[in-house]
Amino acid sequence: MQLHKLYSSLAIRNENKIVLLVIDGLGGMSHKDYGYKTELEYANHPNLDRLALRGTTGMLTPILPGVTPGSGPAHLGLFGLDPISFNIGRGVLEALGIGIVPEPTDVLARGNFCTVDEEGVIIDRRAGRIPTHICEQRLALLRDVRLPQADMELHAVQDHRFVLRLKGAGLASDIDNTDPGVVGARPKPANALTQQAETTASIVNTFVEQAFDRLKGQSAANALVLRGFSMLPDIPSFRELYRLRSAALALYPMYKGLARTVGMDILECLETHWDQYDYFFIHYKYTDSCGEDGDFLSKVNHIEAVDGCIDSLIRLDPAVLAITGDHSTPAGLKSHSWHPVPLLLVSSTCRMDGSTAFTENVCARGALGNIESKYLMGLLLGHALRLDKFGA
Amino acid sequence: MQLHKLYSSLAIRNENKIVLLVIDGLGGMSHKDYGYKTELEYANHPNLDRLALRGTTGMLTPILPGVTPGSGPAHLGLFGLDPISFNIGRGVLEALGIGIVPEPTDVLARGNFCTVDEEGVIIDRRAGRIPTHICEQRLALLRDVRLPQADMELHAVQDHRFVLRLKGAGLASDIDNTDPGVVGARPKPANALTQQAETTASIVNTFVEQAFDRLKGQSAANALVLRGFSMLPDIPSFRELYRLRSAALALYPMYKGLARTVGMDILECLETHWDQYDYFFIHYKYTDSCGEDGDFLSKVNHIEAVDGCIDSLIRLDPAVLAITGDHSTPAGLKSHSWHPVPLLLVSSTCRMDGSTAFTENVCARGALGNIESKYLMGLLLGHALRLDKFGA
């Protein structure tokens, strides 16, 4: 049985509230410039440490040992959905990132403007990273493209990047990238990987041909490539799955979008809606951004900023409070990584494990052990007494 | 998705080198004659301990909790292949052990000479453990056996043991042992377990009948039994799977054979070939042999001998160095065991976990946790930055 269906089959309603605080990219790596400590070990976070005394700790492995997750699968795991079965494609994620929540029948692709020479050969894959307003101007040239059997939307993202959204009946996304991935080659025609996707691929090719016509003559950003053709996976909502009225507090569109895909409402403020929901997902982004920038000390500062807000969560007195990350983003790697993420769970129903701090090395020895992220949902529901007994 | 296919789908090439040192049968058991220490706890290994300070530790469970592995599955696990799906049969392993790497179409069986009375009833299942040269003499009597639809090879192993190799088209190995497993019974006819194996079973029976004819009149070793009919599983190579140029340093034929089955080259010396490969598997056998002999102190000595060689590995400065065993072989049990095996991983990308020694009890509390051996490959590739991000 799939994990979420098992949890779902046991889910019961009660009054106990769950708060999940996701500190994006929380986990780090021993950094040689900072005494071989991680950002979390280096930071001063007395409130989190005090909370650890009251709780139980462990480690979350986002996907499997050694595997670095993208933001999509990392969050689906935290939501109790096996991130390998429920993969979210690049096109869908890009759309979520600009606030578009696709319909299940839409096909989405990430588009890049590029520059080609007179022969149509790519000479700059990012079109000199044109500013976003030029990207918008180019997209304006394409608005009157008309496609057979599908409607089309184009949305600028940032710089040379945009989203192509195809809307219609019977669309399919098993289509290979048109991006050859290198300079010195022509954009490839859209190639259906399954018979089912042949019509969609031919619609995409019509779009590309008309787009090339309209972009001809521009000195830069005079062509485009598409990749990550994808559809929203058929994801059940938290209400259906876990009988939870759920809501999210997030600043960045991508995380709002991920939350919406599992049926969460988006809130501006938690306190004023406290009575209306059972489960709150709070997403804190800046730790990840600083990690991606390789800025160890800024990540440390943001961890300390989060620590300063912990008391406001405690005051709400949720039945279960869990604090973790979606994945690690060590400043030393300037990217997401495979390292497991520390987890702290506080509840009147937890088994206090004597953890005296909230760090990677304490959590790695915590009583919850090292588990895949997809099991967190079960722990949250369990500690909230929201899972019925399995079997007689 | 199968684990190795997931890792495979993410594998990328770079310059980072991986060294895996397998100390065969490394793990031990608390031994009452030695202060209830294991061999690794009793041994003096300052170099391994110093390395632990720089690395991260954990435990590998070879198959599943409580399950004792043979050498074949134990190594396949270390190579990232689920040892339950990719089982290597006794016949194939026996062939690998004497330096034969079977073709994928061959059927192999382990043969034992036995002694039967005038009625054909087994009175000694091991034919008095005849010396190997007598085994070779008996096999010489069988060389002129001619089989329909298959070629045959016979190879002495040791004492009364030999390998039967059948070569031909359309052979299958789903054949029950002819060994009744007890004295006082006759060797059984080869019995096909599937329809597909019926032809092969009848070929085997022809072999056995002709062999019995030729062995008749000998006072001992005048009959034979066969077991472990098997074919090489369809194992992808490290190059196909992980984009690794891989090589092995091993003395014993079985480990060379296991390495060859995943496409490793066999080296005599590591240093001189350092530039030509990405992944090096080094196998140290004697710890296992001493454990099998129940010789606690000799196993201790061999652990100390390995410790003396650690610096030569460190000097090569691999991006990732991992030290573990394929399984435990506690001297107190005189056999392989199910106990998890200590793991030490050192890399500039690791999260140092404060381990101060390389022992079972330190590793059991290490930050990597207790994971199945099949996940080690992902950790090695991850720490070598050789796995792409999963999902967007």
Side-chain angles (χ1 to χ4, degrees):
Chain A
M1 194 193 294
Q2 288 176 290
L3 181 70
H4 63 283
K5 292 194 176 159
L6 176 69
Y7 288 148
S8 184
S9 71
L10 303 173
I12 51 178
R13 284 198 198 86
N14 65 25
E15 298 295 306
N16 295 332
K17 292 190 191 295
I18 297 168
V19 172
L20 172 65
L21 169 59
V22 173
I23 307 171
D24 202 314
L26 174 64
M29 197 176 79
S30 309
H31 199 300
K32 63 179 170 44
D33 297 343
Y34 300 94
Y36 290 97
K37 292 188 169 182
T38 67
E39 297 87 336
L40 187 61
E41 288 164 0
Y42 197 85
N44 188 32
H45 38 68
N47 297 303
L48 286 165
D49 294 343
R50 209 162 28 236
L51 207 54
L53 283 173
R54 287 173 42 197
T56 180
T57 67
M59 276 286 181
L60 295 182
T61 290
I63 311 289
L64 285 174
V67 176
T68 298
S71 298
H75 276 84
L76 291 188
L78 294 175
F79 298 157
L81 301 164
D82 177 15
I84 296 174
S85 323
F86 284 95
N87 201 4
I88 290 191
R90 166 52 63 187
V92 170
L93 202 73
E94 204 78 23
L96 293 174
I98 54 171
I100 298 165
V101 179
E103 297 295 318
T105 50
D106 295 350
V107 166
L108 288 300
R110 146 92 173 258
N112 287 350
F113 282 110
C114 58
T115 303
V116 297
D117 66 14
E118 282 156 20
E119 315 273 271
V121 171
I122 298 175
I123 54 173
D124 183 340
R125 291 183 60 223
R126 295 180 183 84
R129 285 196 186 273
I130 47 167
T132 310
H133 74 271
I134 301 290
C135 179
E136 278 165 355
Q137 284 175 16
R138 292 289 186 278
L139 291 177
L141 298 175
L142 312 182
R143 300 253 183 250
D144 67 336
V145 166
R146 287 294 166 269
L147 301 178
Q149 298 172 271
D151 290 330
M152 174 197 80
E153 282 178 19
L154 292 164
H155 301 273
V157 177
Q158 199 179 1
D159 304 338
H160 59 293
R161 287 149 44 200
F162 65 90
V163 166
L164 168 66
R165 179 186 194 175
L166 297 176
K167 299 162 74 82
L171 298 177
S173 64
D174 311 314
I175 297 173
D176 209 0
N177 298 339
T178 74
D179 187 351
V182 290
V183 296
R186 287 189 181 79
K188 298 185 291 182
N191 189 18
L193 300 173
T194 59
Q195 204 178 350
Q196 208 198 348
E198 279 174 7
T199 307
T200 313
S202 101
I203 294 171
V204 171
N205 283 323
T206 305
F207 163 73
V208 171
E209 281 161 33
Q210 295 190 39
F212 282 11
D213 265 358
R214 284 161 176 77
L215 295 169
K216 209 173 280 178
Q218 305 287 343
S219 61
N222 58 2
L224 56 84
V225 289
L226 299 166
R227 55 198 178 101
F229 288 94
S230 43
M231 302 176 84
L232 195 67
D234 187 13
I235 295 180
S237 77
F238 263 42
R239 187 180 295 264
E240 292 166 73
L241 272 180
Y242 310 126
R243 302 183 167 213
L244 290 174
R245 298 168 301 165
S246 61
L249 211 75
L251 281 182
Y252 276 56
M254 186 191 293
Y255 309 95
K256 291 185 192 175
L258 284 166
R260 279 202 198 95
T261 61
V262 292
M264 293 186 200
D265 291 338
I266 309 297
L267 305 181
E268 299 288 320
C269 167
L270 200 143
E271 287 82 352
T272 51
H273 296 275
W274 185 247
D275 293 337
Q276 291 158 257
Y277 298 95
D278 308 302
Y279 169 103
F280 299 87
F281 159 59
I282 307 173
H283 182 265
Y284 188 83
K285 173 68 180 170
Y286 304 111
T287 32
D288 177 58
S289 320
C290 299
E292 293 263 11
D293 292 343
D295 189 342
F296 187 95
L297 291 179
S298 288
K299 189 172 163 193
V300 167
N301 287 338
H302 279 292
I303 290 170
E304 295 181 350
V306 173
D307 188 68
C309 304
I310 291 299
D311 273 347
S312 66
L313 290 182
I314 297 173
R315 272 196 297 276
L316 291 166
D317 195 26
V320 180
L321 170 61
I323 300 171
T324 187
D326 51 346
H327 54 76
S328 296
T329 307
L333 285 179
K334 295 187 180 185
S335 66
H336 292 194
S337 78
W338 64 92
H339 299 89
V341 193
L343 165 66
L344 166 57
L345 191 153
V346 186
S347 164
S348 64
T349 58
C350 80
R351 188 186 278 163
M352 291 188 238
D353 65 358
S355 295
T356 55
F358 183 56
T359 65
E360 285 89 346
N361 273 329
V362 168
C363 292
R365 292 165 173 86
L368 294 174
N370 185 328
I371 57 174
E372 291 172 40
S373 293
K374 66 184 178 187
Y375 297 114
L376 175 65
M377 196 69 217
L379 286 180
L380 298 180
L381 293 166
H383 282 83
L385 308 179
R386 281 176 167 272
L387 287 186
D388 214 345
K389 189 158 66 175
F390 177 78
Chain B
M1 192 191 298
Q2 288 176 288
L3 182 69
H4 64 283
K5 292 195 175 157
L6 175 70
Y7 286 146
S8 185
S9 71
L10 302 171
I12 50 177
R13 284 197 198 88
N14 65 25
E15 298 294 305
N16 295 332
K17 292 187 191 295
I18 298 168
V19 172
L20 172 65
L21 170 60
V22 173
I23 306 172
D24 201 314
L26 175 64
M29 203 176 75
S30 309
H31 199 300
K32 66 179 171 43
D33 297 343
Y34 299 94
Y36 291 98
K37 292 189 169 179
T38 68
E39 296 88 334
L40 186 61
E41 288 163 2
Y42 196 85
N44 187 32
H45 38 69
N47 297 302
L48 286 165
D49 293 343
R50 208 160 30 233
L51 207 55
L53 282 173
R54 288 173 43 196
T56 181
T57 67
M59 276 288 181
L60 294 182
T61 291
I63 312 290
L64 285 173
V67 176
T68 298
S71 298
H75 276 83
L76 291 187
L78 294 175
F79 298 157
L81 302 165
D82 178 11
I84 296 173
S85 322
F86 284 94
N87 200 7
I88 291 192
R90 166 52 63 185
V92 170
L93 202 73
E94 204 78 23
L96 293 173
I98 52 170
I100 298 165
V101 179
E103 298 295 318
T105 50
D106 296 349
V107 166
L108 294 109
R110 147 93 173 258
N112 286 350
F113 282 111
C114 58
T115 302
V116 296
D117 65 15
E118 282 156 21
E119 315 273 274
V121 171
I122 298 175
I123 54 174
D124 184 342
R125 290 183 60 226
R126 296 181 183 82
R129 285 198 187 271
I130 47 167
T132 309
H133 74 270
I134 301 290
C135 178
E136 278 164 356
Q137 285 175 15
R138 293 288 187 281
L139 291 178
L141 299 175
L142 312 181
R143 299 255 183 250
D144 67 336
V145 167
R146 288 294 165 269
L147 302 177
Q149 297 172 272
D151 291 329
M152 174 199 82
E153 282 177 20
L154 292 164
H155 301 274
V157 178
Q158 200 180 0
D159 303 339
H160 59 293
R161 287 149 45 201
F162 65 92
V163 166
L164 168 68
R165 179 185 193 175
L166 297 176
K167 298 162 74 82
L171 297 177
S173 64
D174 311 315
I175 297 172
D176 209 359
N177 298 338
T178 74
D179 186 352
V182 290
V183 297
R186 287 189 181 79
K188 299 186 291 182
N191 189 18
L193 300 173
T194 60
Q195 203 179 350
Q196 207 199 348
E198 280 176 8
T199 307
T200 312
S202 100
I203 293 170
V204 170
N205 284 323
T206 305
F207 164 73
V208 171
E209 282 162 33
Q210 294 190 39
F212 282 10
D213 264 359
R214 284 161 176 76
L215 294 169
K216 208 173 280 176
Q218 304 288 343
S219 60
N222 58 1
L224 56 84
V225 289
L226 298 166
R227 55 197 177 101
F229 288 93
S230 45
M231 302 176 84
L232 196 66
D234 187 12
I235 295 179
S237 78
F238 263 42
R239 188 181 292 264
E240 292 166 73
L241 272 180
Y242 310 126
R243 301 181 166 217
L244 290 173
R245 299 169 301 166
S246 61
L249 212 75
L251 282 181
Y252 276 57
M254 186 191 292
Y255 309 96
K256 292 185 191 176
L258 283 165
R260 279 204 198 93
T261 61
V262 291
M264 293 186 199
D265 291 338
I266 308 299
L267 304 180
E268 300 288 318
C269 168
L270 198 144
E271 287 82 352
T272 51
H273 296 275
W274 186 247
D275 292 338
Q276 290 157 255
Y277 297 95
D278 307 303
Y279 170 102
F280 299 87
F281 159 59
I282 307 173
H283 182 265
Y284 188 85
K285 174 69 181 172
Y286 304 112
T287 31
D288 176 58
S289 320
C290 299
E292 294 261 12
D293 292 343
D295 189 342
F296 186 95
L297 290 179
S298 289
K299 189 173 164 192
V300 167
N301 287 339
H302 279 292
I303 290 170
E304 296 182 348
V306 172
D307 187 69
C309 304
I310 290 299
D311 273 345
S312 65
L313 290 182
I314 296 173
R315 272 196 296 275
L316 290 166
D317 197 26
V320 181
L321 170 60
I323 300 172
T324 188
D326 50 345
H327 54 75
S328 297
T329 309
L333 285 179
K334 296 189 180 185
S335 67
H336 292 196
S337 79
W338 62 93
H339 300 89
V341 193
L343 165 66
L344 166 57
L345 190 154
V346 185
S347 164
S348 65
T349 58
C350 79
R351 187 184 277 164
M352 291 187 226
D353 66 356
S355 295
T356 54
F358 182 57
T359 64
E360 284 90 346
N361 273 329
V362 169
C363 293
R365 292 164 176 82
L368 294 174
N370 184 329
I371 57 174
E372 291 172 42
S373 292
K374 66 184 177 186
Y375 296 115
L376 175 65
M377 197 69 216
L379 285 181
L380 298 179
L381 293 167
H383 282 83
L385 307 179
R386 281 176 166 272
L387 287 184
D388 216 347
K389 190 158 70 173
F390 176 77

